Amino acid sequence: MNGRNVHFQDGSAAGMLFRNIRIFDGVSNFLREGSNLMVEGNRISGFLQSGEATPEGFVEIDGQGGVLMPGIINSHYHMIGALDANRLHEFSTMEYRGFLYAKVLEMTLMQGVTSVRDVGGNDWGVVRAANEGLIDSPRIFPSGAMISQTSGHFDFRPKNLSIQRSEHAGGITVVLDGMSYLADGPDAVRRAARECLRQGATQLKIASGGGIISPSDPIRSLQFTAEEVRAAVEVAGNCGTYVASHVYTAEAAIRDIESGVMSLEHANLMTEEAVRLGADKGVWWSPQTVVYLHPPEEWNAMQRQKLAIAVEGLQRTMELFRIYNARVLFGTDCFGNMDVQHLEFRYRSQFFSSHEILRQATSNGGEALRMSGPLYSCEGDLGVIKPGAMADLLIVRNNPLEDVSVLSDYRDQLLLIMKDGRIFKNLL
Ligand SMILES: [Zn+2]
């Protein structure tokens, strides 16, 4: 952190006033000019006309004409993406993994991402350390263990690991200290889902179909039965929250949407029928681009074959999202290539306008996080600049509404990063 700002944050100031800024509020397709923004504690407290006097005791920050916008929300993030997907079992101790996760979380925050929805596999110790401020991290909305069927997308066990040598607990198979839970049958799914919620999950994550990095499942395979999906949805619903599901095919998406899943992850191979149904039910779609178009070099031939199928569907699926005005989230899903996650803005620009992408990465993300209902952990909204919202904000040198890919040049472009009223970077 920049040492110049320490005095802003020792608690002696009544608040902060950002002046000489243009504001993207997370929703509008124009910048608000001529307003100063006040932050008190960890909340945005209001606007002042630029001529008005700075309130008593406020510290002023000159934004130098930059664009103040909400902190970025990454709705498809994994701290376990710090690991090389093909060597999961080599990162054997939890402690070592914890250090790796802390490192990528700090890197993520310094790219302007102030909240992440960790869609599975997170380490609970790292979540706690982030909540307690022991590490510099975005806010984390954890899913806990990823829930999958045996031989499903989250069954990361090496093929030569026999069933006898696998770890079993209460009718569930536990993979890598709880990175995922393998559950077969609705009762086991309920048990796994309740375990996740017991440990602090704000939403649940399941896999309803095949994936790219996993060794034991064709990408077009359908996973779980409708009954198993409904079991997870019911457990989540009983706590006022929801299920996010890993899907690639329209068949899996349609079955999930009809079963009450509210967030469809990836979804590269959609059809008109699936996207129309999703729009009717108000679900969120959570696609990514960087992980497909800039994949890790170490992916093997089997993974590259599956990748090609996912890449092929991307263009048509994104078109369908636009045609049906689908609710779309911003996310990266980087796994083994976390260092390129900031390029999502650049790659996504092939499919959406800068304004659409900015909304996905701010107010849409904030709205989706609210689906956690009573498990939502903030007092105010995220992803918007308005009185009462959480003080998570960025000041960007150039205008991202004109060209959102400036956010991929985060080192140069991000002049200030604030999360929860605290400044983590300040070049002003
Ligand atoms: Zn993922």
Side-chain angles (χ1 to χ4, degrees), residues 69-77 104-117 136-140 330-332 341-342 344-345 361 392-394 407 410 414 416-419 424:
M69 63 171 276
I72 297 161
I73 299 172
N74 187 330
S75 297
H76 194 113
Y77 182 90
V104 298
L105 284 164
E106 185 190 359
M107 177 176 85
T108 303
L109 176 64
M110 297 317 286
Q111 294 179 3
V113 176
T114 50
S115 292
V116 298
R117 189 175 63 154
D136 288 352
S137 163
R139 300 174 191 276
I140 304 171
F330 176 88
T332 54
Q341 54 181 340
H342 56 281
E344 179 67 24
F345 288 102
D392 289 12
L393 53 90
L394 311 174
L407 293 172
Y410 64 95
L414 296 185
L416 181 133
I417 300 172
M418 170 179 274
K419 186 201 81 178
F424 289 85

Side-chain angles (χ1 to χ4, degrees), residues 80-89 91 298-299 335-336:
I80 56 168
L83 306 173
D84 174 345
N86 292 324
R87 296 166 59 221
L88 283 178
H89 280 262
F91 294 90
E298 60 273 12
W299 279 7
F335 213 113

Side-chain angles (χ1 to χ4, degrees), residues 76-78 80 119-120 146 153-154 205 213 246 248 265-266 288 292 332-335:
H76 194 113
Y77 182 90
H78 298 279
I80 56 168
V119 278
M146 305 182 280
H153 177 49
F154 304 143
K205 172 72 179 301
I213 59 174
H246 163 107
Y248 276 103
E265 309 301 310
H266 320 303
Q288 303 83 35
Y292 304 107
T332 54
D333 198 27
C334 287
F335 213 113

Side-chain angles (χ1 to χ4, degrees), residues 46-347:
F47 299 99
L48 284 182
Q49 289 307 310
S50 42
E52 287 182 74
T54 301
E56 187 69 30
F58 272 57
V59 173
E60 275 188 27
I61 297 179
D62 181 347
Q64 297 177 12
V67 173
L68 185 146
M69 63 171 276
I72 297 161
I73 299 172
N74 187 330
S75 297
H76 194 113
Y77 182 90
H78 298 279
M79 63 173 77
I80 56 168
L83 306 173
D84 174 345
N86 292 324
R87 296 166 59 221
L88 283 178
H89 280 262
E90 292 174 32
F91 294 90
S92 53
T93 74
M94 216 181 230
E95 292 79 2
Y96 179 70
R97 291 198 299 263
F99 283 114
L100 273 180
Y101 299 164
K103 198 90 189 151
V104 298
L105 284 164
E106 185 190 359
M107 177 176 85
T108 303
L109 176 64
M110 297 317 286
Q111 294 179 3
V113 176
T114 50
S115 292
V116 298
R117 189 175 63 154
D118 193 316
V119 278
N122 56 266
D123 180 286
W124 286 113
V126 174
V127 173
R128 179 175 170 181
N131 287 341
E132 293 179 357
L134 299 179
I135 56 174
D136 288 352
S137 163
R139 300 174 191 276
I140 304 171
F141 290 81
S143 308
M146 305 182 280
I147 305 171
S148 172
Q149 67 172 47
T150 297
S151 188
H153 177 49
F154 304 143
D155 190 345
F156 296 120
R157 292 174 299 166
K159 282 196 171 178
N160 61 2
L161 184 73
S162 64
I163 185 170
Q164 302 92 309
R165 287 176 53 224
S166 299
E167 192 186 332
H168 305 282
I172 299 165
T173 305
V174 180
V175 179
L176 277 175
D177 303 315
M179 193 177 281
S180 46
Y181 292 151
L182 309 181
D184 299 294
D187 282 344
V189 170
R190 268 189 281 274
R191 175 76 196 270
R194 287 174 182 147
E195 276 298 330
C196 291
L197 292 167
R198 176 182 74 80
Q199 293 176 88
T202 51
Q203 65 285 322
L204 298 176
K205 172 72 179 301
I206 66 170
S208 298
I212 293 174
I213 59 174
S214 39
S216 313
D217 56 336
I219 190 165
R220 293 185 193 277
S221 64
L222 195 59
Q223 299 178 9
F224 279 145
T225 61
E227 208 187 351
E228 288 169 317
V229 174
R230 283 198 303 268
V233 168
E234 187 184 8
V235 170
N238 288 347
C239 275
T241 185
Y242 68 99
V243 171
S245 177
H246 163 107
V247 294
Y248 276 103
T249 64
E251 185 189 11
I254 288 168
R255 192 201 54 185
D256 279 0
I257 295 167
E258 284 172 344
S259 303
V261 168
M262 285 307 289
S263 187
L264 284 299
E265 309 301 310
H266 320 303
N268 295 40
L269 305 170
M270 285 307 105
T271 57
E272 213 158 336
E273 185 195 359
V275 176
R276 199 181 319 120
L277 178 67
D280 286 350
K281 302 277 184 191
V283 304
W284 289 98
W285 298 94
S286 177
Q288 303 83 35
T289 59
V290 64
V291 67
Y292 304 107
L293 304 176
H294 198 123
E297 277 167 24
E298 60 273 12
W299 279 7
N300 61 33
M302 175 274 293
Q303 290 164 329
R304 287 191 181 270
Q305 240 170 36
K306 298 209 255 182
L307 177 72
I309 298 172
V311 169
E312 215 180 280
L314 213 48
Q315 183 73 39
R316 176 66 183 146
T317 292
M318 298 295 206
E319 255 170 46
L320 287 171
F321 289 161
R322 296 193 67 170
I323 293 167
Y324 286 96
N325 203 14
R327 305 210 290 172
V328 175
L329 297 172
F330 176 88
T332 54
D333 198 27
C334 287
F335 213 113
N337 61 341
M338 296 293 270
D339 52 330
V340 299
Q341 54 181 340
H342 56 281
L343 296 180
E344 179 67 24
F345 288 102
R346 200 169 292 160
Y347 284 110

